[in-house]
Amino acid sequence: MKIAYIYQQFTQASGTERVFIDKMNYFAERQGYEVMMVTCQQGRHPIIFPVSPKIKHYDLGVRWANLYRYNRVYRFFKQISLNRLFRKRFNQLMYETKPDIVICATYYLYIVTAVAKCKLNFSRVLESHIDLRYLYGFNTDNKKLQNGLYELFGSDLLKKDAVKFDVLVALNQSDADDWGRYLETRVILNLVHLNPTNRYCDYNSKRVIFVGRYVEQKGIFDLLEIWKRIHLVHPGWQLDMYGSGELQEKLTEEVRRLDANIYLYNQTQNIFEKYLESSILVLTSYYEPFGLVMPEAMSCGLPVVSFDCPSGPSYIITDKKDGFLVKSRDLDLYVKRLSELMDSSDLRCKMGHNARMSSQRFMGNNIMPQWEQLFRELLEKSRNE
């Protein structure tokens, strides 16, 4: 079985890139599978995560990254030209390699369009890593007009191409239900890298950890407000934040102003060691279709405090058992729940033990057979048509 994963580039240490590469590595090492990684903007940049040498990588060499240098009129027409070039090179590669199954994410419309309109007979799988309701419609104060235009046009174009896919795989049932109006859906949770150390966190540690991108979606300034209140009653605790993103400069300034035992660090490849140095994970996202950091941290024994935002946290955390789910944007309740954990090492230990047990659901051996079953069904359907 020949499988092709199509993605723009693997240069950022984010969740989708991690999951795509993990799945490619899994199938590449399984007998009976041939795996292709297809990118268009990778160029000479190193692939951010380790990749099996059995995976065949093809970069189509179509670059959008430099368009920002030009005026909007030029960018508009140049983007149309690049989209056509991508489709031409993509179609040529598909006809040369003849994959059985092609997988892409909903992120990049030009990729979805190319896969949808290719006339070669292969099974098409669309992966949703951001819920449909937020893919184009998460409006912030400074981007309402821009995001409104994306929502109006991008969402409709995406849906028109999505109906040509055989199946969409969502990370939660809410997103699957939204997409189910347009095509067949399936829910398969992400496989997660779990604690490889055979060690667990120290519940006497007075360190809380946040891991994620410094972007508006993550609600990081709500986290700072929560921590400002926490610091008044728990001055001996510290908050360690690991990440990067467009809000980093603003975040750095605010952390300096608060002076409340908050420490900012760059992303690290050694994140499990940082989990083990902590005793609580916090998450304050506005939405979180899955959230890889939750089961990662839970596998180290960390209880999690998270807003019960759409849609992922409630699929991962069992409230009051392995963490706390807090009504979304209720900062007062969040402070209360976090304080409860800080006040009791016994509670942290009890919830942390439950978290370790719960995290085992996301092992590759539990998740990937669901993908294998889906691929077998698609091949059988293709043969019978």
Side-chain angles (χ1 to χ4, degrees), residues 80-133:
I80 293 175
S81 174
L82 290 175
N83 287 352
R84 289 174 177 169
L85 178 62
F86 173 81
R87 285 185 59 187
K88 178 181 178 181
R89 293 182 179 178
F90 173 78
N91 287 337
Q92 182 178 350
L93 179 63
M94 293 298 99
Y95 278 96
E96 289 173 355
T97 57
K98 294 181 172 54
D100 299 299
I101 298 173
V102 174
I103 303 111
C104 67
T106 56
Y107 291 132
Y108 304 112
L109 180 59
Y110 72 91
I111 294 179
V112 177
T113 299
V115 175
K117 294 185 176 181
C118 181
K119 298 186 183 303
L120 194 65
N121 185 27
F122 51 71
S123 297
R124 293 160 171 80
V125 179
L126 191 56
E127 290 195 24
S128 176
H129 290 264
I130 295 181
D131 287 9
L132 175 60
R133 70 187 76 175

Side-chain angles (χ1 to χ4, degrees), residues 10 56 58 107 167 172 193 211 219 250 252 256 294 362:
F10 293 94
K56 295 180 180 179
Y58 302 87
Y107 291 132
V167 65
N172 59 73
H193 278 256
V211 180
K250 183 179 178 181
T252 301
R256 187 182 299 116
M294 286 184 283
F362 305 104

Side-chain angles (χ1 to χ4, degrees), residues 21-67:
I21 288 176
D22 284 346
K23 287 187 284 197
M24 283 187 274
N25 286 338
Y26 176 91
F27 284 115
E29 299 300 326
R30 301 280 289 185
Q31 186 174 2
Y33 291 94
E34 182 178 342
V35 180
M36 299 165 51
M37 172 194 290
V38 182
T39 58
C40 59
Q41 294 198 140
Q42 192 70 35
R44 296 181 180 179
H45 299 287
I47 296 173
I48 191 66
F49 298 112
V51 172
S52 167
K54 297 180 182 179
I55 294 173
K56 295 180 180 179
H57 179 209
Y58 302 87
D59 188 72
L60 300 180
V62 184
R63 311 279 189 260
W64 285 264
N66 294 326
L67 287 181

Side-chain angles (χ1 to χ4, degrees), residues 120-330:
L120 194 65
N121 185 27
F122 51 71
S123 297
R124 293 160 171 80
V125 179
L126 191 56
E127 290 195 24
S128 176
H129 290 264
I130 295 181
D131 287 9
L132 175 60
R133 70 187 76 175
Y134 295 111
L135 185 57
Y136 290 96
F138 181 60
N139 292 334
T140 61
D141 288 340
N142 61 336
K143 293 184 178 179
K144 284 185 177 180
L145 176 60
Q146 175 183 327
N147 287 350
L149 293 173
Y150 281 151
E151 184 175 10
L152 179 62
F153 296 109
S155 181
D156 285 344
L157 291 172
L158 176 62
K159 292 167 187 174
K160 288 178 182 178
D161 287 332
V163 298
K164 299 174 184 177
F165 282 69
D166 294 273
V167 65
L168 177 136
V169 177
L171 296 174
N172 59 73
Q173 191 60 52
S174 297
D175 192 34
D177 291 342
D178 287 342
W179 276 109
R181 291 175 287 172
Y182 309 103
L183 74 164
E184 180 184 343
T185 62
R186 186 82 58 94
V187 175
I188 302 179
L189 301 179
N190 277 334
L191 77 159
V192 181
H193 278 256
L194 301 181
N195 181 8
T197 69
N198 293 319
R199 294 182 288 118
Y200 301 104
C201 67
D202 177 7
Y203 295 109
N204 293 316
S205 170
K206 293 187 176 183
R207 302 174 77 166
V208 175
I209 187 171
F210 167 90
V211 180
R213 291 173 295 125
Y214 300 148
V215 294
E216 189 130 5
Q217 175 211 340
K218 299 298 181 178
I220 54 177
F221 292 104
D222 278 351
L223 176 57
L224 295 190
E225 175 61 29
I226 289 165
W227 191 261
K228 182 173 72 173
R229 302 181 195 181
I230 284 288
H231 183 64
L232 295 176
V233 291
H234 298 281
W237 283 73
Q238 73 179 56
L239 172 62
D240 298 324
M241 300 181 67
Y242 290 87
S244 62
E246 61 192 40
L247 296 177
Q248 186 159 358
E249 183 177 346
K250 183 179 178 181
L251 176 62
T252 301
E253 293 175 359
E254 184 65 13
V255 165
R256 187 182 299 116
R257 186 189 69 81
L258 286 175
D259 188 24
N261 282 354
I262 304 172
Y263 300 89
L264 301 181
Y265 302 95
N266 293 327
Q267 293 174 319
T268 174
Q269 297 292 329
N270 200 24
I271 192 61
F272 284 99
E273 291 297 327
K274 306 308 176 184
Y275 290 140
L276 295 172
E277 295 171 359
S278 312
S279 61
I280 304 169
L281 175 79
V282 288
L283 197 74
T284 50
S285 299
Y286 283 93
Y287 65 93
E288 197 68 58
F290 186 80
L292 289 173
V293 300
M294 286 184 283
E296 280 182 356
M298 291 165 72
S299 72
C300 295
L302 291 180
V304 181
V305 183
S306 171
F307 284 127
D308 188 13
C309 61
S311 299
S314 61
Y315 283 79
I316 298 172
I317 302 167
T318 302
D319 188 37
K320 299 183 178 66
K321 181 178 180 181
D322 48 28
F324 286 118
L325 285 170
V326 178
K327 181 181 177 182
S328 193
R329 315 336 296 172
D330 188 338

Side-chain angles (χ1 to χ4, degrees), residues 68-83:
Y68 72 92
R69 300 176 180 176
Y70 306 102
N71 64 62
R72 292 185 179 183
V73 174
Y74 179 84
R75 285 204 307 265
F76 176 78
F77 289 103
K78 184 63 175 177
Q79 185 163 346
I80 293 175
S81 174
L82 290 175
N83 287 352

